[in-house]
Amino acid sequence: MTDGAEDKRKAERLCVTAEVRCSALGSVTHDALHDISLGGCMLTGIETTLPAGTPVDIRLLKGVEVAGVVRWNAPGKIGVEFRHPLSKAALMYFTLDDLPDCKSVALDHFGRKLPPLGRLQNPA
């Protein structure tokens, strides 16, 4: 990636901190997921330079693997474009840390926080 390069991303990126498993060029590494969107991600902590165009398989979560291709590289990091868009459910998993305590926050069917029961008005 060069300074002043046009940003061609089509989806909003989420800044995250997670470890993922990356398979490329016959080796498997554990790298840091720096950001993610429906269309791709950035991995950091890369020890081996992966040229643009290199196919990669990334295990984001247990049971969630995505195929992609390296679009750019820089010392210690790569940008990956997913071959198929990531599911919104998998992407939402990475936002769960933003909730103060998942067990104490009630959500409606659209993922919106519901007011605490003590704040509901008693219908008369």
Side-chain angles (χ1 to χ4, degrees):
M1 222 170 159
T2 59
D3 291 335
E6 183 181 344
D7 191 351
K8 297 179 182 178
R9 289 181 185 91
K10 297 173 186 160
E12 182 180 350
R13 292 173 287 163
L14 297 174
C15 292
V16 298
T17 304
E19 184 178 299
V20 297
R21 189 187 76 194
C22 181
S23 303
L25 301 176
S27 65
V28 176
T29 58
H30 293 272
D31 305 303
L33 181 63
H34 182 267
D35 66 39
I36 191 167
S37 72
L38 293 173
C41 67
M42 181 196 308
L43 301 180
T44 59
I46 306 296
E47 294 181 12
T48 304
T49 301
L50 296 174
T54 302
V56 295
D57 291 308
I58 301 170
R59 180 179 169 187
L60 297 171
L61 307 163
K62 185 176 181 180
V64 180
E65 295 194 27
V66 293
V69 62
V70 175
R71 287 296 176 210
W72 60 265
N73 64 53
K77 56 187 172 183
I78 61 171
V80 175
E81 179 181 6
F82 301 144
R83 293 197 186 278
H84 303 285
L86 187 63
S87 73
K88 289 182 181 180
L91 185 64
M92 291 299 293
Y93 171 85
F94 292 100
T95 66
L96 293 177
D97 288 342
D98 294 340
L99 297 175
D101 181 0
C102 293
K103 294 178 183 172
S104 66
V105 176
L107 304 175
D108 68 9
H109 293 292
F110 299 103
R112 298 175 296 204
K113 294 179 185 176
L114 294 172
L117 290 176
R119 290 181 47 197
L120 293 176
Q121 295 180 354
N122 189 5

